């Protein structure tokens, strides 16, 4: 789908600029995710991470606004037609990229607030595996979008499905566990599961824009098996 839309806009500087800006958003998001996760794993001091992380989030928001302004201006100055679908795709994926930044802040805030030791490797190690998979998803998503590569995009959605299953299993285990796990630690693991699953779901949504029809954008997480559908409730 995206390849055909890009061919319709081939050679237009406006499109190239917006694509570059979206790639910058995802690069900032990846950095934010890495820093937030490192804060959660106690590999970074939250005091050193907080200011630059929130600074990156502002850059992500500014890029989103810039892309939206360019889309509106383009549609205003040019006759509607083949450009409209491409504009709709861009408006959708930049929102996903902006939401990823919000969930990265949520991850950071959990790491900042929970200041005790982690005592349950049976939860912590799978969560670390999920974090590593999400960093791979960032790289694949950026490549798939830049190259309009459907195969790479589908590999992102497959990876999301694996992450979704793993996060759901961790939550189920937390709810059923009878060990002496402190409540605040269990809540910390649960929140980390939710936030990482949402980051991966938004990456999957961006990837689906490469091969899926416009009407399926923003719903791929539900089609893949019921990730939390209230994705617009992050902060």
């Amino acid at each position: 789908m995206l390849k055909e839309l890009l061919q319709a806009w081939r050679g237009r500087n406006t499109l190239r600029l917006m694509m570059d800006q979206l790639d910058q958003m995802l690069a900032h998001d990846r950095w934010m995710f890495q820093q937030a996760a490192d804060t959660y794993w106690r590999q970074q001091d939250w005091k050193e991470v907080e200011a630059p992380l929130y600074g990156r989030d502002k850059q992500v928001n500014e890029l989103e606004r810039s892309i939206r302004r360019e889309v509106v201006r383009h549609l205003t100055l040019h006759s509607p037609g083949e450009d409209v679908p491409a504009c709709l795709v861009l408006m959708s994926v930049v929102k996903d990229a902006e939401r990823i930044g919000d969930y990265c802040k949520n991850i950071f805030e959990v790491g900042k607030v929970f200041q005790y030791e982690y005592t349950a490797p049976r939860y912590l190690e799978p969560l670390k595996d999920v974090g590593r998979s999400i960093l791979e998803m960032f790289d694949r998503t950026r490549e798939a979008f830049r190259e309009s590569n459907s195969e790479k995009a589908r590999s992102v959605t497959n990876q999301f499905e694996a992450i979704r299953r793993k996060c759901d299993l961790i939550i189920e285990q937390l709810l059923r566990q009878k060990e002496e796990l402190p409540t605040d630690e269990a809540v910390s693991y649960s929140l980390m599961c939710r936030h990482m699953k949402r980051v991966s779901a938004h990456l999957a949504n961006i990837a689906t824009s490469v091969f899926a029809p416009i009407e399926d954008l923003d719903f791929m997480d539900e089609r893949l098996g019921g990730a939390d559908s209230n994705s617009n409730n992050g902060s």
Side-chain angles (χ1 to χ4, degrees), residues 162-176:
I163 288 172
R164 183 192 67 79
R165 286 197 301 266
K166 183 171 287 189
C167 286
D168 288 347
L169 178 60
I170 294 171
I171 294 292
E172 181 180 341
Q173 291 172 338
L174 284 166
L175 290 172
R176 293 182 175 179

Side-chain angles (χ1 to χ4, degrees), residues 75-92:
L75 291 176
T76 301
L77 296 176
H78 296 82
S79 299
E82 62 189 10
D83 293 353
V84 173
C87 289
L88 292 174
V89 169
L90 282 169
M91 293 289 268
S92 175

Side-chain angles (χ1 to χ4, degrees), residues 167-190:
C167 286
D168 288 347
L169 178 60
I170 294 171
I171 294 292
E172 181 180 341
Q173 291 172 338
L174 284 166
L175 290 172
R176 293 182 175 179
Q177 62 90 20
K178 296 182 179 180
E179 60 203 73
E180 291 299 321
L181 184 66
T183 301
D184 53 357
E185 185 176 354
V187 170
S188 171
Y189 295 144
S190 177

